Amino acid sequence: MTMLPSQRQRLTRLVDRLAELDALLGSAEAVRDLENFRRLSKERAEIGETVALFTAYCQAENDLAAARAMEAEAELAAFAREEAQAAQQKLAELELELQRALLPKDPDDEKNVFLEIRAGTGGEESALFAADLFRMYARFAERQGWRVEVVSKNESDLGGFREIIARIEGEGVFGKLKFESGGHRVQRVPETEAQGRIHTSACTVAVLPEAGELAEIDLNPADLKIDTFRASGAGGQHINKTDSAVRVTHLPTGLVVECQDDRSQHRNKAQALAVLAARLKDMQEREKQQQIATTRKSLIGSGDRSERIRTYNFPQGRVTDHRINLTLYKLDAVMDGDLDELIGALQAEHQTERLAALASES
């Protein structure tokens, strides 16, 4: 098991950078600029784990060299072979972990997101399932210490959602939720079903990274048609008496965003523009991914909204992710926001794919 010279060089540079960061953070000047202190601390946390892995890898290399040196001595040969085998296995494991650690980071992983859930086939039952999905993600966000803010919602007659858009803010939100985009299917007996028959309904989920403040997406005012209107549905007398709701139409693409959840027209407009920027950014990313997919089909993370990615079967208490053929018999826990096992498996599969792609390119 041999590491590529380029990888070793990168890791050696990280060791030097870690020492440099420790010196900077330990200096008296560091705490005088809190913003810079936070930035340096974050960088140290990001590379510290990789450096620890590399240190362990170098130690395993030394152990292997020492074991091979002992093999020449007859009375130690058997023991030395065992030690050499253990060191080789450790090296293989650590090299794989280091390869994963050195994979380029997705710049969007740390971003906040707009979560959009829309009812699909299945009528009222689909709208109820959309509400269940929103609760699932809200509970997951709560477990992560994230903040959830509803931007816009269109409620159905029985308390479901025909559409709901929420902004989720916190650490590494997109990195954990980015594989949730796609078609979610539910199989269960609806509350409205008198004969106890199982129905199949569907919703689509879109997870869009928030566009950055520094104009990642240039919204030309000439391309926007902005209308104000009176909010409908619940919200109190004040909301129904004023034109506080805002509809923004992006003329070149035909994308339309409505926001009416806030009493302030200014805030609704700002939220609508933020959602529109995220959708336009997502559209650009998906076009780019489609071009890549012509060369190499990606198993997950394609972001195709029409693709059925997961089935929630209530009679059998199971949830199945079709992209990685993973079935869990813990549906109640999943619907209550316990998504760690699903998300962890999707992240691991994505890393494996990227490592395979790098291997095929080298």
Side-chain angles (χ1 to χ4, degrees), residues 122-134:
E124 190 64 49
E125 169 61 12
S126 176
L128 289 170
F129 180 51
D132 291 338
L133 285 176
F134 175 68

Side-chain angles (χ1 to χ4, degrees), residues 125-357:
E125 169 61 12
S126 176
L128 289 170
F129 180 51
D132 291 338
L133 285 176
F134 175 68
R135 180 182 178 277
M136 177 183 82
Y137 290 121
R139 291 283 291 117
F140 178 69
E142 187 183 315
R143 290 167 186 248
Q144 307 299 310
W146 299 338
R147 180 171 170 267
V148 179
E149 176 189 9
V150 174
V151 172
S152 173
K153 62 179 182 285
N154 180 357
E155 295 177 341
S156 68
D157 296 336
L158 295 181
F161 294 119
R162 294 187 185 91
E163 175 187 90
I164 182 163
I165 302 171
R167 180 177 180 270
I168 303 180
E169 178 186 349
E171 193 176 325
V173 181
F174 185 68
K176 288 203 170 176
L177 292 182
K178 62 183 175 183
F179 301 122
E180 295 302 301
S181 292
H184 293 243
R185 185 177 69 168
V186 63
Q187 295 171 326
R188 66 182 175 189
V189 179
E191 292 174 23
T192 52
E193 170 59 58
Q195 296 176 23
R197 290 176 300 184
I198 295 171
H199 287 228
T200 299
S201 307
C203 291
T204 57
V205 170
V207 177
L208 316 176
E210 193 172 44
E213 290 177 18
L214 297 175
E216 279 183 59
I217 296 295
D218 183 23
L219 288 177
N220 185 345
D223 292 340
L224 305 176
K225 180 173 180 281
I226 299 175
D227 301 302
T228 58
F229 59 99
R230 290 190 181 182
S232 58
Q237 292 182 338
H238 173 81
I239 224 170
N240 290 322
K241 284 183 178 177
T242 60
D243 289 345
S244 59
V246 174
R247 181 187 299 112
V248 178
T249 306
H250 187 249
L251 300 173
T253 60
L255 285 174
V256 179
V257 180
E258 288 184 4
C259 282
Q260 56 175 307
D261 240 50
D262 202 279
R263 294 189 174 193
S264 157
Q265 184 188 110
H266 175 75
R267 179 140 172 79
N268 279 330
K269 180 183 174 184
Q271 289 279 35
L273 289 171
V275 173
L276 177 62
R279 286 189 190 170
L280 287 169
K281 182 178 188 297
D282 178 63
M283 188 182 286
Q284 289 178 4
E285 286 298 319
R286 279 192 285 146
E287 282 171 6
K288 199 191 299 177
Q289 288 301 321
Q290 240 172 355
Q291 289 169 358
I292 294 168
T294 55
T295 349
R296 187 182 74 87
K297 175 75 176 79
S298 178
L299 175 67
I300 58 177
S302 65
D304 186 352
R305 310 285 178 259
S306 62
E307 178 194 4
R308 186 191 72 191
I309 64 166
R310 196 175 293 150
T311 296
Y312 305 76
N313 186 301
F314 277 74
Q316 295 178 19
R318 65 174 168 83
V319 57
T320 300
D321 197 292
H322 304 289
R323 295 163 294 178
I324 53 175
N325 295 320
L326 174 66
T327 296
L328 302 175
Y329 286 88
K330 49 185 273 188
L331 182 59
D332 288 347
V334 167
M335 297 309 294
D336 195 42
D338 183 2
L339 297 175
D340 291 321
E341 193 171 350
L342 274 168
I343 286 171
L346 287 161
Q347 287 175 325
E349 183 68 28
H350 183 55
Q351 283 185 332
T352 303
E353 271 191 357
R354 293 176 71 197
L355 286 170

